[in-house]
Amino acid sequence: EGMSVDDFDLELSKVLALFIDGHSAVVGGAFPDGYLPFRLERIGDRYTAFWPDRRDFVDPSYPYVTKVDGMSLGEWRAVLQVMVPKGSPSYTTYFTLRYLEYIRFARSLAGLDDPEEIEVQLESRDGTSRVTTVFDMVFDPPRVETWPDSESGFLDGNIGYLRITRWLEEAFDEVDTWMPQFAGTRGLIIDIRDNRGGTRSVLRELYPYFVSASDPPHVANAARYRLYREFPDDYLAGRNMYRENWNGWSPAERTAIEEFLETFDPEWAVPELEFSDWHFWLLSKATKPDAYDYQGRVIFLMDRKCWSASDVILSSVKGLPNVRLIGEPSIGASGARIITTLRNSGLDLYLSSMASFQNTGLLFETNGVVPDWLVEPQPEYYLQNGADRVLDYALRCFDHPRRPVRRLSRNGP
């Protein structure tokens, strides 16, 4: 009594933001209508603004945004982080920008006046000049769309291009349709930019092309789920994850797990009495023994919008001899989300139920997956028919395979 559902949503979201769970959220409340008329994306330490239909920048001579309503983008991030779990830099950047696009809500958090005009300071490409422009607020919420809008096929130079926008049923179809056709290509680009998850099981269809039958099974993910009376002993079976003593492991898989545990050093000491035994996700040729051994280099394109199943998949292929990851660090979220509908408010509460680790020992949460070669897009990438620096760099790697932009360590630049 005395608190509206929307206010309860806000306060509960602030509580969840104190933690690191990348899948946590409160869903069902309403934001006040009133949105930025343009989209925002981060480019390095700057921010670009473009029209939602991607026809152009809001001002082609000044493609970067420095202030909105008199506040710098850094100041806005500090205000809006009260709503965002304490995840990786990619995670907090992505979600604070999305909240800022809900400008009427963002103003309420910042304690600003709320006129229907928005004052925006724009900056030239070389950073030497700025202009201030006033835009009208719009009342249709921003559309969530996947970018780039490219399709699988062949690129110049006999390079295969596999575009996977979500790890859902259509991803299985893309793999089954295109991988047989890519057998004769001299290189393969798998573009998963802006892929926000789905099922990791797709990788069990794709991974066998990257290894041979003589390669040992690969422990790709280790996790422990939170103990709860309603969770069965095989709670993680839907993710093909099982305990070390599971009777379904082959002798080779048992050996792989034993060797993995000899060096596995998780960064967080999971409370023994509150979580299950370790569960493992293994990959090998055995999941698709008829897959041919792809002979060329394989490059995954990634960005700061890859998360959930994309995090797990990127981590699983990183380090394979013929695979490289190019782009920006991923978001970092792997938690076996469950949804609870709260009785009184009717809001849906999203919370994760497992602690999930990369095979390096790092949590997915707060870290994400770091690319082998850091290559950031330029502003034009977000426009229709704009140049794609990340894809262009990947294509050059097939002719100059020893030419990195910037190598990254396990923990980042």
Side-chain angles (χ1 to χ4, degrees):
E1 295 298 328
M3 177 179 281
S4 70
V5 170
D6 290 342
D7 286 343
F8 180 59
D9 181 339
L10 173 63
E11 296 306 319
L12 187 53
S13 295
K14 290 178 180 178
V15 171
L16 295 188
L18 299 173
F19 299 90
I20 66 170
D21 180 3
H23 281 97
S24 63
V26 185
V27 178
F31 287 99
D33 288 333
Y35 313 95
L36 294 179
F38 49 79
R39 301 304 308 271
L40 288 168
E41 293 291 350
R42 186 174 181 177
I43 306 289
D45 59 355
R46 304 171 80 185
Y47 302 83
T48 190
F50 52 92
W51 298 117
D53 61 5
R54 300 182 184 270
R55 67 183 185 274
D56 209 341
F57 302 112
V58 295
D59 188 330
S61 299
Y62 299 86
Y64 292 101
V65 175
T66 54
K67 291 185 178 181
V68 175
D69 284 342
M71 291 175 57
S72 71
L73 274 290
E75 291 171 325
W76 275 114
R77 286 186 67 188
V79 168
L80 297 172
Q81 280 180 351
V82 69
M83 297 291 295
V84 181
K86 301 181 186 304
S88 70
S90 292
Y91 186 98
T92 55
T93 295
Y94 176 77
F95 283 99
T96 52
L97 284 182
R98 299 292 78 83
Y99 277 119
L100 182 54
E101 290 178 347
Y102 289 71
I103 186 61
R104 179 153 275 166
F105 172 74
R107 284 171 169 174
S108 69
L109 288 181
L112 297 181
D113 293 336
D114 189 29
E116 292 190 0
E117 292 183 334
I118 306 160
E119 184 179 278
V120 180
Q121 186 183 79
L122 301 170
E123 186 175 66
S124 62
R125 190 178 298 273
D126 62 9
T128 61
S129 60
R130 295 175 178 176
V131 296
T132 298
T133 305
V134 174
F135 296 88
D136 290 329
M137 186 182 293
V138 298
F139 297 94
D140 291 324
R143 294 178 302 172
V144 177
E145 59 182 2
T146 302
W147 193 257
D149 60 353
S150 50
E151 297 180 349
S152 301
F154 291 87
L155 303 177
D156 291 344
N158 193 27
I159 304 299
Y161 178 79
L162 184 65
R163 176 68 173 130
I164 299 180
T165 57
R166 289 293 302 273
W167 300 106
L168 301 175
E169 193 62 39
E170 55 265 31
F172 288 96
D173 295 338
E174 289 290 302
V175 172
D176 291 342
T177 298
W178 288 102
M179 285 307 296
Q181 300 183 57
F182 291 151
T185 56
R186 68 187 185 94
L188 173 61
I189 293 174
I190 301 176
D191 190 348
I192 69 165
R193 288 175 292 179
D194 209 355
N195 185 320
R196 299 166 195 172
T199 172
R200 62 174 65 185
S201 296
V202 181
L203 187 59
R204 292 167 64 84
E205 299 292 311
L206 186 57
Y207 180 90
Y209 290 100
F210 308 149
V211 294
S212 66
S214 61
D215 289 321
H218 174 52
V219 180
N221 177 210
R224 301 174 69 174
Y225 66 83
R226 183 82 182 209
L227 294 176
Y228 177 56
R229 62 184 179 276
E230 294 187 16
F231 291 162
D233 287 342
D234 62 350
Y235 176 65
L236 297 182
R239 287 171 165 74
N240 297 113
M241 300 189 75
Y242 302 95
R243 291 174 167 82
E244 183 181 6
N245 62 0
W246 180 53
N247 59 15
W249 297 125
S250 68
E253 289 170 329
R254 290 185 183 279
T255 298
I257 293 172
E258 290 171 2
E259 293 177 351
F260 171 78
L261 287 173
E262 289 176 0
T263 59
F264 181 57
D265 183 20
E267 69 166 323
W268 179 53
V270 184
E272 292 292 332
L273 298 180
E274 298 176 26
F275 286 78
S276 71
D277 297 331
W278 285 104
H279 288 60
F280 305 95
W281 191 50
L282 272 67
L283 297 165
S284 73
K285 192 78 167 185
T287 58
K288 194 171 185 176
D290 58 342
Y292 61 85
D293 296 357
Y294 187 75
Q295 298 301 309
R297 166 169 282 192
V298 179
I299 292 177
F300 279 75
L301 303 187
M302 56 188 287
D303 63 10
R304 62 180 79 226
K305 298 180 187 177
C306 292
W307 71 317
S308 197
S310 287
D311 284 305
V312 175
I313 287 169
L314 288 166
S315 173
S316 299
V317 300
K318 185 175 180 179
L320 292 180
N322 62 330
V323 174
R324 295 294 181 270
L325 311 183
I326 293 179
E328 302 170 290
S330 69
I331 278 181
S334 174
R337 183 184 71 185
I338 55 176
I339 302 174
T340 303
T341 299
L342 303 182
R343 287 194 302 268
N344 296 323
S345 63
L347 298 172
D348 286 334
L349 178 65
Y350 292 12
L351 291 172
S352 289
S353 58
M354 73 174 179
S356 183
F357 294 80
Q358 303 176 51
N359 57 18
T360 60
L362 293 176
L363 280 165
F364 282 98
E365 260 70 16
T366 74
N367 292 299
V369 180
V370 176
D372 297 303
W373 296 338
L374 175 65
V375 186
E376 294 178 323
Q378 74 278 55
E380 286 76 13
Y381 165 70
Y382 293 103
L383 304 181
Q384 288 286 355
N385 303 314
D388 188 345
R389 174 189 292 165
V390 179
L391 177 60
D392 290 344
Y393 180 78
L395 288 169
R396 292 199 302 274
C397 287
F398 294 108
D399 297 316
H400 306 282
R402 298 183 181 276
R403 188 181 168 194
V405 171
R406 178 150 55 117
R407 295 291 300 194
L408 298 185
S409 71
R410 163 175 162 167
N411 294 314

